Amino acid sequence: MKYKPSIFIKTTCLLSLVFLLFSCASRKDIVYYQNIDTIKAGQNTNSYEVKIQPDDLLMIIVSAEDPEIALPFNLTTVATQNNSNLQAATSQVLIQSYLVDKNGNIEFPVLGKLQIGGLTRTEALQLLKDKIGVYIKNPIINMRIMNFKISMQGEVNIPGTYTVTSERVTLIEALSMAKDMTIYGKRDNILVIREANGIKSYNRVDITKADFINSPFYYLAQNDVVYIEPNRTKVNASAVGPNTSVIISAISILISLSVLIFK
């Protein structure tokens, strides 16, 4: 039986066309900030501050012109270290942290229990200054959230939990930490999971539209979870198998060889 080369050629073209169709992606699905030229300037985002939440670990340091006066307002412990070269003991003062309990309280030296959950950093500092100011003239107070972190999941190049030292991070900065989204990530349907005052919220962000920079989720809060959903191409590939393109290429080669052998 003689094979007709035209059948094999048509089959090869058809498979190639199918492969190209599945490989195509639209610009609107990939490019960020597509309508940025049409967006009016929003409110001043420099005023954004995170709010203190339960389980936050706070470092609070109180200073004054006379260091001795400020000592009772600091949680400190002395760690002894042995220096083998000098054969002598040295002491280092370590600043301890305050854990915000489930009710938003901390136990502060001299002042006792303080309700700071739900306050911004500026509001919490003002509260401390007002209360410590009764004992110390012009106290200097520094506060920092020590366990500020966010989690990146789904279609990013390096998923994981990231510690943030600045206490202020944007969604775009978080994606950069994770080395950006993969080509399979849905840029118009990013899920941000946030917990505030014991209540979880679930929010969708479309970063292909530039107006998201004025969204409440442009800046992330501590313990936010960002999930990048896979697009249809990735979902289809997972159903067929990760080596679909390799299989299609192999079939195309076999058909081409058949054309050469049977022509």
Side-chain angles (χ1 to χ4, degrees):
M1 181 178 179
K2 188 175 180 180
Y3 290 86
K4 295 181 179 181
S6 60
I7 297 176
F8 295 104
I9 294 173
K10 290 179 180 179
T11 305
T12 302
C13 292
L14 180 60
L15 286 172
S16 299
L17 180 60
V18 171
F19 178 71
L20 287 173
L21 287 173
F22 277 101
S23 302
C24 290
S26 172
R27 177 182 181 275
K28 68 181 181 65
D29 296 328
I30 300 298
V31 178
Y32 300 174
Y33 321 117
Q34 291 175 32
N35 60 335
I36 194 166
D37 294 330
T38 64
I39 300 301
K40 295 181 180 180
Q43 61 183 357
N44 183 9
T45 54
N46 290 329
S47 62
Y48 173 83
E49 281 190 273
V50 298
K51 292 186 177 181
I52 298 170
Q53 301 178 11
D55 295 326
D56 279 350
L57 199 60
L58 306 178
M59 181 182 70
I60 303 175
I61 302 175
V62 180
S63 304
E65 293 181 3
D66 183 355
E68 294 293 328
I69 299 176
L71 283 179
F73 296 91
N74 288 295
L75 283 179
T76 58
T77 184
V78 177
T80 301
Q81 297 179 334
N82 292 321
N83 190 318
S84 57
N85 295 327
L86 300 177
Q87 296 297 320
T90 60
S91 296
Q92 180 182 10
V93 176
L94 303 177
I95 303 297
Q96 294 183 339
S97 301
Y98 299 83
L99 179 65
V100 182
D101 67 21
K102 64 180 181 180
N103 297 316
N105 299 317
I106 60 171
E107 287 289 342
F108 201 85
V110 181
L111 304 179
K113 183 177 291 187
L114 294 177
Q115 174 79 37
I116 62 171
L119 301 181
T120 65
R121 181 175 177 275
T122 299
E123 291 169 341
L125 285 174
Q126 188 60 54
L127 174 66
L128 287 168
K129 284 182 179 179
D130 291 343
K131 291 186 174 295
I132 295 175
V134 176
Y135 304 90
I136 301 175
K137 183 179 180 180
N138 299 322
I140 300 172
I141 305 171
N142 291 311
M143 176 186 294
R144 179 178 170 187
I145 301 175
M146 302 298 293
N147 60 340
F148 191 113
K149 61 184 184 296
I150 54 173
S151 297
M152 305 296 295
Q153 298 179 336
E155 288 298 326
V156 290
N157 284 295
I158 306 180
T161 298
Y162 294 84
T163 299
V164 180
T165 57
S166 66
E167 299 181 12
R168 198 164 105 141
V169 60
T170 67
L171 176 58
I172 294 302
E173 288 171 332
L175 288 171
S176 297
M177 292 178 192
K179 304 304 179 184
D180 209 349
M181 280 182 270
T182 69
I183 197 64
Y184 301 109
K186 294 185 70 173
R187 286 146 173 79
D188 61 349
N189 197 34
I190 299 174
L191 175 64
V192 179
I193 302 173
R194 176 171 297 174
E195 182 174 351
N197 300 320
I199 301 174
K200 289 185 174 64
S201 63
Y202 309 89
N203 310 276
R204 303 281 179 173
V205 180
D206 180 359
I207 65 172
T208 66
K209 302 295 187 295
D211 53 1
F212 91 94
I213 63 177
N214 295 321
S215 160
F217 302 96
Y218 176 68
Y219 283 101
L220 298 179
Q222 62 270 48
N223 303 316
D224 274 0
V225 176
V226 179
Y227 173 68
I228 311 299
E229 184 180 345
N231 60 21
R232 184 177 298 178
T233 301
K234 183 62 175 288
V235 173
N236 291 341
S238 66
V240 179
N243 298 318
T244 304
S245 61
V246 177
I247 294 172
I248 293 176
S249 299
I251 293 174
S252 299
I253 293 172
L254 289 174
I255 291 176
S256 300
L257 289 173
S258 299
V259 170
L260 294 175
I261 292 172
F262 295 104
K263 73 175 181 178

mmCIF file of all heavy atoms in Angstrom, residues 61-105:
data_model
loop_
_atom_site.group_PDB
_atom_site.id
_atom_site.type_symbol
_atom_site.label_atom_id
_atom_site.label_comp_id
_atom_site.label_asym_id
_atom_site.label_seq_id
_atom_site.Cartn_x
_atom_site.Cartn_y
_atom_site.Cartn_z
ATOM 1 N N ILE A 61 12.392 51.007 72.416
ATOM 2 C CA ILE A 61 13.531 51.521 73.184
ATOM 3 C C ILE A 61 13.216 52.938 73.635
ATOM 4 O O ILE A 61 12.872 53.797 72.814
ATOM 5 C CB ILE A 61 14.824 51.516 72.339
ATOM 6 C CG1 ILE A 61 15.142 50.102 71.853
ATOM 7 C CG2 ILE A 61 15.997 52.065 73.156
ATOM 8 C CD1 ILE A 61 16.330 50.035 70.918
ATOM 9 N N VAL A 62 13.332 53.171 74.934
ATOM 10 C CA VAL A 62 13.084 54.491 75.517
ATOM 11 C C VAL A 62 14.422 55.117 75.890
ATOM 12 O O VAL A 62 15.247 54.497 76.558
ATOM 13 C CB VAL A 62 12.177 54.392 76.762
ATOM 14 C CG1 VAL A 62 11.929 55.787 77.355
ATOM 15 C CG2 VAL A 62 10.854 53.715 76.402
ATOM 16 N N SER A 63 14.630 56.358 75.432
ATOM 17 C CA SER A 63 15.870 57.074 75.729
ATOM 18 C C SER A 63 15.540 58.424 76.358
ATOM 19 O O SER A 63 14.429 58.943 76.215
ATOM 20 C CB SER A 63 16.689 57.290 74.453
ATOM 21 O OG SER A 63 16.946 56.062 73.801
ATOM 22 N N ALA A 64 16.529 58.972 77.063
ATOM 23 C CA ALA A 64 16.373 60.297 77.694
ATOM 24 C C ALA A 64 17.743 60.937 77.808
ATOM 25 O O ALA A 64 18.771 60.296 77.565
ATOM 26 C CB ALA A 64 15.723 60.154 79.069
ATOM 27 N N GLU A 65 17.746 62.235 78.158
ATOM 28 C CA GLU A 65 19.022 62.934 78.328
ATOM 29 C C GLU A 65 19.865 62.261 79.402
ATOM 30 O O GLU A 65 21.079 62.151 79.268
ATOM 31 C CB GLU A 65 18.765 64.408 78.696
ATOM 32 C CG GLU A 65 18.130 65.208 77.569
ATOM 33 C CD GLU A 65 17.921 66.654 77.954
ATOM 34 O OE1 GLU A 65 18.323 67.040 79.072
ATOM 35 O OE2 GLU A 65 17.352 67.400 77.138
ATOM 36 N N ASP A 66 19.206 61.808 80.448
ATOM 37 C CA ASP A 66 19.889 61.045 81.497
ATOM 38 C C ASP A 66 19.549 59.561 81.293
ATOM 39 O O ASP A 66 18.425 59.137 81.577
ATOM 40 C CB ASP A 66 19.427 61.508 82.879
ATOM 41 C CG ASP A 66 20.173 60.792 84.005
ATOM 42 O OD1 ASP A 66 20.967 59.875 83.707
ATOM 43 O OD2 ASP A 66 19.940 61.146 85.177
ATOM 44 N N PRO A 67 20.475 58.744 80.780
ATOM 45 C CA PRO A 67 20.187 57.335 80.499
ATOM 46 C C PRO A 67 19.677 56.557 81.707
ATOM 47 O O PRO A 67 18.881 55.630 81.552
ATOM 48 C CB PRO A 67 21.543 56.793 80.034
ATOM 49 C CG PRO A 67 22.280 57.989 79.530
ATOM 50 C CD PRO A 67 21.845 59.112 80.410
ATOM 51 N N GLU A 68 20.111 56.929 82.896
ATOM 52 C CA GLU A 68 19.701 56.211 84.095
ATOM 53 C C GLU A 68 18.195 56.332 84.333
ATOM 54 O O GLU A 68 17.543 55.396 84.807
ATOM 55 C CB GLU A 68 20.466 56.747 85.311
ATOM 56 C CG GLU A 68 21.963 56.492 85.280
ATOM 57 C CD GLU A 68 22.277 55.011 85.387
ATOM 58 O OE1 GLU A 68 21.504 54.286 86.053
ATOM 59 O OE2 GLU A 68 23.288 54.577 84.801
ATOM 60 N N ILE A 69 17.614 57.472 83.985
ATOM 61 C CA ILE A 69 16.185 57.688 84.188
ATOM 62 C C ILE A 69 15.359 56.789 83.273
ATOM 63 O O ILE A 69 14.270 56.335 83.625
ATOM 64 C CB ILE A 69 15.825 59.173 83.939
ATOM 65 C CG1 ILE A 69 16.578 60.079 84.931
ATOM 66 C CG2 ILE A 69 14.323 59.413 84.069
ATOM 67 C CD1 ILE A 69 16.345 61.562 84.698
ATOM 68 N N ALA A 70 15.893 56.496 82.073
ATOM 69 C CA ALA A 70 15.147 55.705 81.092
ATOM 70 C C ALA A 70 15.237 54.208 81.337
ATOM 71 O O ALA A 70 14.417 53.441 80.813
ATOM 72 C CB ALA A 70 15.642 56.021 79.681
ATOM 73 N N LEU A 71 16.188 53.766 82.147
ATOM 74 C CA LEU A 71 16.396 52.325 82.347
ATOM 75 C C LEU A 71 15.147 51.580 82.810
ATOM 76 O O LEU A 71 14.857 50.494 82.303
ATOM 77 C CB LEU A 71 17.537 52.096 83.345
ATOM 78 C CG LEU A 71 18.959 52.295 82.801
ATOM 79 C CD1 LEU A 71 19.992 52.066 83.908
ATOM 80 C CD2 LEU A 71 19.223 51.356 81.629
ATOM 81 N N PRO A 72 14.371 52.095 83.755
ATOM 82 C CA PRO A 72 13.194 51.345 84.208
ATOM 83 C C PRO A 72 12.138 51.120 83.124
ATOM 84 O O PRO A 72 11.274 50.255 83.276
ATOM 85 C CB PRO A 72 12.627 52.229 85.338
ATOM 86 C CG PRO A 72 13.776 53.074 85.783
ATOM 87 C CD PRO A 72 14.574 53.318 84.551
ATOM 88 N N PHE A 73 12.215 51.879 82.032
ATOM 89 C CA PHE A 73 11.213 51.762 80.962
ATOM 90 C C PHE A 73 11.678 50.865 79.805
ATOM 91 O O PHE A 73 11.026 50.811 78.767
ATOM 92 C CB PHE A 73 10.867 53.157 80.423
ATOM 93 C CG PHE A 73 10.210 54.042 81.437
ATOM 94 C CD1 PHE A 73 10.965 54.870 82.259
ATOM 95 C CD2 PHE A 73 8.824 54.025 81.598
ATOM 96 C CE1 PHE A 73 10.361 55.681 83.209
ATOM 97 C CE2 PHE A 73 8.217 54.832 82.542
ATOM 98 C CZ PHE A 73 8.978 55.660 83.353
ATOM 99 N N ASN A 74 12.799 50.193 79.999
ATOM 100 C CA ASN A 74 13.312 49.293 78.971
ATOM 101 C C ASN A 74 13.417 47.870 79.507
ATOM 102 O O ASN A 74 13.892 47.654 80.626
ATOM 103 C CB ASN A 74 14.692 49.751 78.491
ATOM 104 C CG ASN A 74 14.630 51.007 77.644
ATOM 105 O OD1 ASN A 74 14.062 51.014 76.561
ATOM 106 N ND2 ASN A 74 15.207 52.091 78.153
ATOM 107 N N LEU A 75 12.942 46.927 78.704
ATOM 108 C CA LEU A 75 13.144 45.516 79.033
ATOM 109 C C LEU A 75 14.533 45.125 78.567
ATOM 110 O O LEU A 75 14.806 45.066 77.367
ATOM 111 C CB LEU A 75 12.108 44.642 78.317
ATOM 112 C CG LEU A 75 10.690 44.604 78.875
ATOM 113 C CD1 LEU A 75 9.832 43.707 77.999
ATOM 114 C CD2 LEU A 75 10.683 44.089 80.303
ATOM 115 N N THR A 76 15.423 44.877 79.487
ATOM 116 C CA THR A 76 16.785 44.510 79.107
ATOM 117 C C THR A 76 17.219 43.276 79.875
ATOM 118 O O THR A 76 16.706 42.970 80.954
ATOM 119 C CB THR A 76 17.774 45.647 79.388
ATOM 120 O OG1 THR A 76 17.726 45.972 80.790
ATOM 121 C CG2 THR A 76 17.442 46.882 78.575
ATOM 122 N N THR A 77 18.179 42.583 79.302
ATOM 123 C CA THR A 77 18.805 41.462 79.978
ATOM 124 C C THR A 77 20.286 41.516 79.667
ATOM 125 O O THR A 77 20.699 42.055 78.631
ATOM 126 C CB THR A 77 18.210 40.118 79.510
ATOM 127 O OG1 THR A 77 18.783 39.052 80.272
ATOM 128 C CG2 THR A 77 18.472 39.865 78.030
ATOM 129 N N VAL A 78 21.089 40.988 80.544
ATOM 130 C CA VAL A 78 22.535 41.032 80.352
ATOM 131 C C VAL A 78 23.027 39.658 79.945
ATOM 132 O O VAL A 78 22.794 38.670 80.648
ATOM 133 C CB VAL A 78 23.259 41.498 81.638
ATOM 134 C CG1 VAL A 78 24.763 41.459 81.434
ATOM 135 C CG2 VAL A 78 22.798 42.890 82.015
ATOM 136 N N ALA A 79 23.692 39.595 78.796
ATOM 137 C CA ALA A 79 24.266 38.336 78.316
ATOM 138 C C ALA A 79 25.770 38.377 78.546
ATOM 139 O O ALA A 79 26.445 39.335 78.163
ATOM 140 C CB ALA A 79 23.970 38.146 76.834
ATOM 141 N N THR A 80 26.307 37.370 79.190
ATOM 142 C CA THR A 80 27.742 37.304 79.464
ATOM 143 C C THR A 80 28.423 36.475 78.395
ATOM 144 O O THR A 80 28.018 35.353 78.106
ATOM 145 C CB THR A 80 28.009 36.682 80.844
ATOM 146 O OG1 THR A 80 27.349 37.476 81.822
ATOM 147 C CG2 THR A 80 29.490 36.634 81.140
ATOM 148 N N GLN A 81 29.477 37.023 77.821
ATOM 149 C CA GLN A 81 30.224 36.337 76.788
ATOM 150 C C GLN A 81 31.672 36.198 77.237
ATOM 151 O O GLN A 81 32.269 37.133 77.755
ATOM 152 C CB GLN A 81 30.158 37.109 75.457
ATOM 153 C CG GLN A 81 28.743 37.220 74.898
ATOM 154 C CD GLN A 81 28.729 38.019 73.608
ATOM 155 O OE1 GLN A 81 29.600 38.855 73.375
ATOM 156 N NE2 GLN A 81 27.740 37.752 72.769
ATOM 157 N N ASN A 82 32.234 35.032 77.012
ATOM 158 C CA ASN A 82 33.635 34.799 77.361
ATOM 159 C C ASN A 82 34.527 35.040 76.164
ATOM 160 O O ASN A 82 34.281 34.528 75.081
ATOM 161 C CB ASN A 82 33.836 33.373 77.867
ATOM 162 C CG ASN A 82 33.153 33.145 79.202
ATOM 163 O OD1 ASN A 82 33.187 34.041 80.047
ATOM 164 N ND2 ASN A 82 32.550 31.985 79.377
ATOM 165 N N ASN A 83 35.539 35.827 76.332
ATOM 166 C CA ASN A 83 36.509 36.098 75.290
ATOM 167 C C ASN A 83 37.727 35.231 75.543
ATOM 168 O O ASN A 83 38.472 35.450 76.487
ATOM 169 C CB ASN A 83 36.879 37.591 75.299
ATOM 170 C CG ASN A 83 37.701 37.974 74.087
ATOM 171 O OD1 ASN A 83 38.597 37.251 73.688
ATOM 172 N ND2 ASN A 83 37.378 39.128 73.527
ATOM 173 N N SER A 84 37.936 34.220 74.705
ATOM 174 C CA SER A 84 39.019 33.271 74.921
ATOM 175 C C SER A 84 40.389 33.914 74.766
ATOM 176 O O SER A 84 41.370 33.476 75.355
ATOM 177 C CB SER A 84 38.892 32.087 73.956
ATOM 178 O OG SER A 84 38.882 32.545 72.615
ATOM 179 N N ASN A 85 40.475 34.967 73.935
ATOM 180 C CA ASN A 85 41.770 35.616 73.722
ATOM 181 C C ASN A 85 42.185 36.447 74.922
ATOM 182 O O ASN A 85 43.351 36.444 75.323
ATOM 183 C CB ASN A 85 41.711 36.514 72.486
ATOM 184 C CG ASN A 85 41.498 35.706 71.212
ATOM 185 O OD1 ASN A 85 41.974 34.579 71.110
ATOM 186 N ND2 ASN A 85 40.780 36.294 70.258
ATOM 187 N N LEU A 86 41.207 37.159 75.485
ATOM 188 C CA LEU A 86 41.527 38.025 76.618
ATOM 189 C C LEU A 86 41.344 37.319 77.951
ATOM 190 O O LEU A 86 41.723 37.837 78.983
ATOM 191 C CB LEU A 86 40.640 39.275 76.582
ATOM 192 C CG LEU A 86 40.777 40.154 75.335
ATOM 193 C CD1 LEU A 86 39.785 41.309 75.410
ATOM 194 C CD2 LEU A 86 42.201 40.686 75.206
ATOM 195 N N GLN A 87 40.718 36.126 77.894
ATOM 196 C CA GLN A 87 40.426 35.388 79.120
ATOM 197 C C GLN A 87 39.676 36.257 80.118
ATOM 198 O O GLN A 87 39.947 36.251 81.323
ATOM 199 C CB GLN A 87 41.738 34.875 79.753
ATOM 200 C CG GLN A 87 42.498 33.871 78.903
ATOM 201 C CD GLN A 87 41.685 32.604 78.679
ATOM 202 O OE1 GLN A 87 41.010 32.126 79.579
ATOM 203 N NE2 GLN A 87 41.755 32.080 77.472
ATOM 204 N N ALA A 88 38.720 37.001 79.588
ATOM 205 C CA ALA A 88 37.940 37.889 80.448
ATOM 206 C C ALA A 88 36.491 37.817 80.029
ATOM 207 O O ALA A 88 36.150 37.429 78.918
ATOM 208 C CB ALA A 88 38.457 39.325 80.342
ATOM 209 N N ALA A 89 35.616 38.206 80.929
ATOM 210 C CA ALA A 89 34.173 38.190 80.652
ATOM 211 C C ALA A 89 33.702 39.594 80.348
ATOM 212 O O ALA A 89 34.078 40.549 81.020
ATOM 213 C CB ALA A 89 33.420 37.633 81.846
ATOM 214 N N THR A 90 32.902 39.707 79.305
ATOM 215 C CA THR A 90 32.311 40.989 78.962
ATOM 216 C C THR A 90 30.800 40.851 78.986
ATOM 217 O O THR A 90 30.265 39.761 78.812
ATOM 218 C CB THR A 90 32.765 41.453 77.564
ATOM 219 O OG1 THR A 90 32.370 40.480 76.609
ATOM 220 C CG2 THR A 90 34.274 41.630 77.500
ATOM 221 N N SER A 91 30.119 41.923 79.202
ATOM 222 C CA SER A 91 28.665 41.908 79.269
ATOM 223 C C SER A 91 28.075 42.725 78.120
ATOM 224 O O SER A 91 28.621 43.768 77.761
ATOM 225 C CB SER A 91 28.180 42.472 80.607
ATOM 226 O OG SER A 91 28.609 41.632 81.653
ATOM 227 N N GLN A 92 26.994 42.235 77.564
ATOM 228 C CA GLN A 92 26.301 42.931 76.485
ATOM 229 C C GLN A 92 24.833 43.060 76.849
ATOM 230 O O GLN A 92 24.194 42.085 77.223
ATOM 231 C CB GLN A 92 26.449 42.157 75.168
ATOM 232 C CG GLN A 92 25.751 42.823 73.995
ATOM 233 C CD GLN A 92 25.883 42.007 72.725
ATOM 234 O OE1 GLN A 92 26.330 40.876 72.752
ATOM 235 N NE2 GLN A 92 25.473 42.587 71.618
ATOM 236 N N VAL A 93 24.311 44.259 76.750
ATOM 237 C CA VAL A 93 22.911 44.493 77.064
ATOM 238 C C VAL A 93 22.064 44.176 75.835
ATOM 239 O O VAL A 93 22.297 44.697 74.754
ATOM 240 C CB VAL A 93 22.686 45.945 77.514
ATOM 241 C CG1 VAL A 93 21.196 46.194 77.748
ATOM 242 C CG2 VAL A 93 23.488 46.258 78.765
ATOM 243 N N LEU A 94 21.104 43.289 76.003
ATOM 244 C CA LEU A 94 20.215 42.901 74.915
ATOM 245 C C LEU A 94 18.837 43.503 75.149
ATOM 246 O O LEU A 94 18.313 43.456 76.255
ATOM 247 C CB LEU A 94 20.104 41.375 74.827
ATOM 248 C CG LEU A 94 21.421 40.603 74.644
ATOM 249 C CD1 LEU A 94 21.127 39.101 74.646
ATOM 250 C CD2 LEU A 94 22.115 41.008 73.361
ATOM 251 N N ILE A 95 18.278 44.081 74.101
ATOM 252 C CA ILE A 95 16.947 44.653 74.179
ATOM 253 C C ILE A 95 15.925 43.558 73.906
ATOM 254 O O ILE A 95 15.959 42.912 72.866
ATOM 255 C CB ILE A 95 16.776 45.803 73.178
ATOM 256 C CG1 ILE A 95 17.840 46.882 73.414
ATOM 257 C CG2 ILE A 95 15.380 46.394 73.272
ATOM 258 C CD1 ILE A 95 17.755 47.540 74.766
ATOM 259 N N GLN A 96 15.007 43.338 74.837
ATOM 260 C CA GLN A 96 13.983 42.329 74.657
ATOM 261 C C GLN A 96 12.778 42.912 73.915
ATOM 262 O O GLN A 96 12.607 44.127 73.842
ATOM 263 C CB GLN A 96 13.552 41.774 76.016
ATOM 264 C CG GLN A 96 14.662 40.994 76.727
ATOM 265 C CD GLN A 96 14.177 40.397 78.039
ATOM 266 O OE1 GLN A 96 13.192 40.855 78.594
ATOM 267 N NE2 GLN A 96 14.874 39.384 78.517
ATOM 268 N N SER A 97 11.985 42.009 73.349
ATOM 269 C CA SER A 97 10.846 42.430 72.541
ATOM 270 C C SER A 97 9.534 42.255 73.302
ATOM 271 O O SER A 97 9.431 41.464 74.242
ATOM 272 C CB SER A 97 10.808 41.633 71.235
ATOM 273 O OG SER A 97 11.996 41.822 70.500
ATOM 274 N N TYR A 98 8.523 42.976 72.847
ATOM 275 C CA TYR A 98 7.184 42.898 73.417
ATOM 276 C C TYR A 98 6.284 42.156 72.440
ATOM 277 O O TYR A 98 6.170 42.538 71.271
ATOM 278 C CB TYR A 98 6.621 44.298 73.655
ATOM 279 C CG TYR A 98 7.414 45.150 74.616
ATOM 280 C CD1 TYR A 98 8.530 45.864 74.176
ATOM 281 C CD2 TYR A 98 7.050 45.257 75.958
ATOM 282 C CE1 TYR A 98 9.264 46.657 75.038
ATOM 283 C CE2 TYR A 98 7.769 46.052 76.827
ATOM 284 C CZ TYR A 98 8.884 46.751 76.375
ATOM 285 O OH TYR A 98 9.598 47.526 77.236
ATOM 286 N N LEU A 99 5.615 41.122 72.902
ATOM 287 C CA LEU A 99 4.684 40.369 72.072
ATOM 288 C C LEU A 99 3.274 40.903 72.300
ATOM 289 O O LEU A 99 2.780 40.928 73.430
ATOM 290 C CB LEU A 99 4.737 38.876 72.406
ATOM 291 C CG LEU A 99 3.781 37.977 71.620
ATOM 292 C CD1 LEU A 99 4.134 37.980 70.142
ATOM 293 C CD2 LEU A 99 3.806 36.553 72.174
ATOM 294 N N VAL A 100 2.629 41.329 71.228
ATOM 295 C CA VAL A 100 1.255 41.820 71.323
ATOM 296 C C VAL A 100 0.327 40.616 71.470
ATOM 297 O O VAL A 100 0.341 39.707 70.634
ATOM 298 C CB VAL A 100 0.869 42.634 70.075
ATOM 299 C CG1 VAL A 100 -0.547 43.184 70.205
ATOM 300 C CG2 VAL A 100 1.864 43.769 69.842
ATOM 301 N N ASP A 101 -0.460 40.586 72.548
ATOM 302 C CA ASP A 101 -1.314 39.421 72.791
ATOM 303 C C ASP A 101 -2.562 39.452 71.907
ATOM 304 O O ASP A 101 -2.766 40.387 71.117
ATOM 305 C CB ASP A 101 -1.679 39.295 74.279
ATOM 306 C CG ASP A 101 -2.573 40.437 74.782
ATOM 307 O OD1 ASP A 101 -3.243 41.099 73.959
ATOM 308 O OD2 ASP A 101 -2.622 40.659 76.010
ATOM 309 N N LYS A 102 -3.400 38.444 72.045
ATOM 310 C CA LYS A 102 -4.564 38.311 71.169
ATOM 311 C C LYS A 102 -5.569 39.448 71.328
ATOM 312 O O LYS A 102 -6.402 39.680 70.442
ATOM 313 C CB LYS A 102 -5.260 36.973 71.426
ATOM 314 C CG LYS A 102 -5.843 36.839 72.829
ATOM 315 C CD LYS A 102 -6.516 35.491 73.007
ATOM 316 C CE LYS A 102 -7.132 35.369 74.399
ATOM 317 N NZ LYS A 102 -7.801 34.058 74.585
ATOM 318 N N ASN A 103 -5.483 40.158 72.449
ATOM 319 C CA ASN A 103 -6.380 41.294 72.685
ATOM 320 C C ASN A 103 -5.753 42.635 72.294
ATOM 321 O O ASN A 103 -6.358 43.691 72.490
ATOM 322 C CB ASN A 103 -6.786 41.345 74.159
ATOM 323 C CG ASN A 103 -7.572 40.111 74.573
ATOM 324 O OD1 ASN A 103 -8.464 39.666 73.851
ATOM 325 N ND2 ASN A 103 -7.231 39.550 75.724
ATOM 326 N N GLY A 104 -4.533 42.585 71.757
ATOM 327 C CA GLY A 104 -3.858 43.809 71.327
ATOM 328 C C GLY A 104 -3.109 44.524 72.431
ATOM 329 O O GLY A 104 -2.782 45.710 72.278
ATOM 330 N N ASN A 105 -2.804 43.806 73.527
ATOM 331 C CA ASN A 105 -2.136 44.439 74.667
ATOM 332 C C ASN A 105 -0.669 44.028 74.763
ATOM 333 O O ASN A 105 -0.281 42.956 74.312
ATOM 334 C CB ASN A 105 -2.837 44.063 75.977
ATOM 335 C CG ASN A 105 -4.277 44.529 76.019
ATOM 336 O OD1 ASN A 105 -4.591 45.645 75.622
ATOM 337 N ND2 ASN A 105 -5.169 43.661 76.491
#
